[in-house]
Amino acid sequence: MRVDSMFGPRRPKQVEEHEAAGEIERIYHEIRETLRVTGVNLNFRIWARNEKFFPAMWEAVRPDVETRLFENAADQLRAEAVYIAERWARPGITSRVPLGESQRYHIQAALMLYHYINPKLLLITSSIKLALGGEPIRQVSADSPLELIARGAPAKMYPMEMIAEEPQDKRLRDLFDDIKQTLSLSSINSDYRTLALWPDYLVTAWTWLKPIVESEEYRLASNSLREIARALARSLPSPVPLAYERVRALGEDIGEVMKITEQFESLLPSLIINIALLGLDWHTPEDYARSPFPAESRRLTVHG
């Protein structure tokens, strides 16, 4: 089911960052600080329309997200995506699209932004999906110290700038429609809206990506990455208190929350692989498999 079909007439399709106020604005700030990212991605902007679920969801996953164990799991998932992407030939897009030095620099930086954050988003989504399904996440013993990572986006991280979801440029509108139809999206992901700042690059990149995305090998690869994410989510240190009954007790539509979560868990592996594929135009697999923004430690805390 497409996400927009779940929305009633009085609910926003998503809560954009510039529209956030009150509790949602506070949580958006915490998301940027804790995930070490320059913006709030689409999955959070859509979850945020569920005003009671969203704060509960963030408080449920935040204890995991700020740990070194979570960062390491995201690093592992990112590396797995690069190894998967190696199955296909290098895209060679940069040799077909005339790009200036500044454009090349900024496109690489934008890819690195999403290459860093998307594995984290998938781990969070898989954790929520497992919790909603009643599967407990194991908890480390109370005397096991957990290393916390430093907060705040790295200084060299690209700002999460993007064009409007419904751009004036007809070529981009048609491109977004094709991406949404091919990937069964109701809203265009932040990644594509950012890369659309360089239309010639994105058009050429999507022309190359589309046949791969529609292949059976790609579908199996995406499923495999999702299973890896679930396994990593099961190893996170803190339980995620988002059982079916609790969400229903909040007064939220549990069916809607579950469908949104399932859709993002289905879509994010493909997005991670797509960014990995495009990044291999610029980097060796060995370099690209490493975290682009290694996190420094903040402190150790006793879990309990």
Side-chain angles (χ1 to χ4, degrees):
M1 178 180 292
R2 298 170 77 91
V3 173
D4 51 4
S5 67
M6 306 174 198
F7 296 162
R10 296 183 180 179
R11 288 197 176 192
K13 189 175 184 179
Q14 58 182 278
V15 181
E16 298 281 3
E17 288 188 71
H18 68 274
E19 299 170 335
E23 182 75 351
I24 293 177
E25 184 178 23
R26 180 190 68 80
I27 295 172
Y28 277 9
H29 173 73
E30 282 200 5
I31 287 171
R32 289 189 295 266
E33 289 292 296
T34 309
L35 287 178
R36 306 176 67 234
V37 69
T38 52
V40 177
N41 291 83
L42 179 63
N43 57 334
F44 293 120
R45 301 197 306 266
I46 289 183
W47 271 323
R49 61 177 291 280
N50 299 94
E51 296 179 358
K52 296 178 180 178
F53 171 76
F54 187 57
M57 177 276 294
W58 176 243
E59 287 306 310
V61 301
R62 184 181 53 78
D64 275 330
V65 169
E66 61 185 355
T67 67
R68 173 69 64 188
L69 290 174
F70 180 89
E71 190 79 8
N72 289 346
D75 290 347
Q76 182 177 339
L77 191 59
R78 187 181 306 109
E80 292 287 349
V82 173
Y83 301 145
I84 287 172
E86 282 190 275
R87 301 176 189 177
W88 288 275
R90 298 289 182 92
I93 297 163
T94 55
S95 65
R96 300 197 298 273
V97 180
L99 297 169
E101 183 177 348
S102 176
Q103 290 175 312
R104 293 172 65 90
Y105 174 83
H106 285 98
I107 292 170
Q108 288 184 70
L111 289 171
M112 279 299 191
L113 161 66
Y114 292 108
H115 188 50
Y116 177 73
I117 189 58
N118 287 343
K120 291 188 170 189
L121 302 180
L122 179 55
L123 280 174
I124 290 171
T125 305
S126 291
S127 297
I128 294 170
K129 171 64 167 56
L130 292 172
L132 291 172
E135 180 170 336
I137 303 296
R138 75 173 179 87
Q139 184 173 8
V140 298
S141 59
D143 59 352
S144 299
L146 290 178
E147 180 183 350
L148 304 185
I149 62 170
R151 295 166 62 91
K156 294 184 178 181
M157 180 178 281
Y158 190 81
M160 196 177 286
E161 298 173 346
M162 60 190 79
I163 70 166
E165 185 169 359
E166 297 181 2
Q168 294 182 348
D169 186 330
K170 183 180 184 303
R171 181 175 62 153
L172 285 177
R173 287 201 308 273
D174 292 343
L175 177 65
F176 282 3
D177 286 343
D178 189 30
I179 292 173
K180 288 191 288 186
Q181 182 176 356
T182 303
L183 299 176
S184 299
L185 303 174
S186 60
S187 294
I188 198 76
N189 293 96
S190 305
D191 313 48
Y192 303 117
R193 289 174 60 185
T194 294
L195 292 175
L197 293 167
W198 308 277
D200 291 341
Y201 173 80
L202 182 57
V203 168
T204 305
W206 177 247
T207 300
W208 180 81
L209 278 172
K210 185 175 178 179
I212 295 175
V213 167
E214 294 177 321
S215 69
E216 178 66 9
E217 182 180 6
Y218 180 93
R219 185 187 69 81
L220 293 174
S222 296
N223 290 343
S224 174
L225 193 64
R226 182 170 61 251
E227 291 305 315
I228 292 170
R230 288 177 180 174
L232 290 169
R234 291 184 180 102
S235 72
L236 295 176
S238 298
V240 178
L242 281 178
Y244 186 101
E245 293 77 12
R246 185 186 178 203
V247 176
R248 187 168 57 183
L250 291 173
E252 293 283 15
D253 183 338
I254 183 63
E256 177 181 327
V257 169
M258 180 65 85
K259 287 173 182 175
I260 292 172
T261 304
E262 287 176 343
Q263 184 181 52
F264 277 109
E265 195 196 30
S266 176
L267 296 175
L268 279 165
S270 299
L271 192 58
I272 293 169
I273 293 172
N274 288 355
I275 296 298
L277 285 164
L278 296 179
L280 289 177
D281 229 3
W282 312 84
H283 307 277
T284 66
E286 294 75 20
D287 287 342
Y288 207 44
R290 302 188 187 102
S291 172
F293 302 105
E296 296 183 358
S297 298
R298 178 158 46 113
R299 68 172 191 271
L300 295 178
T301 183
V302 175
H303 184 82

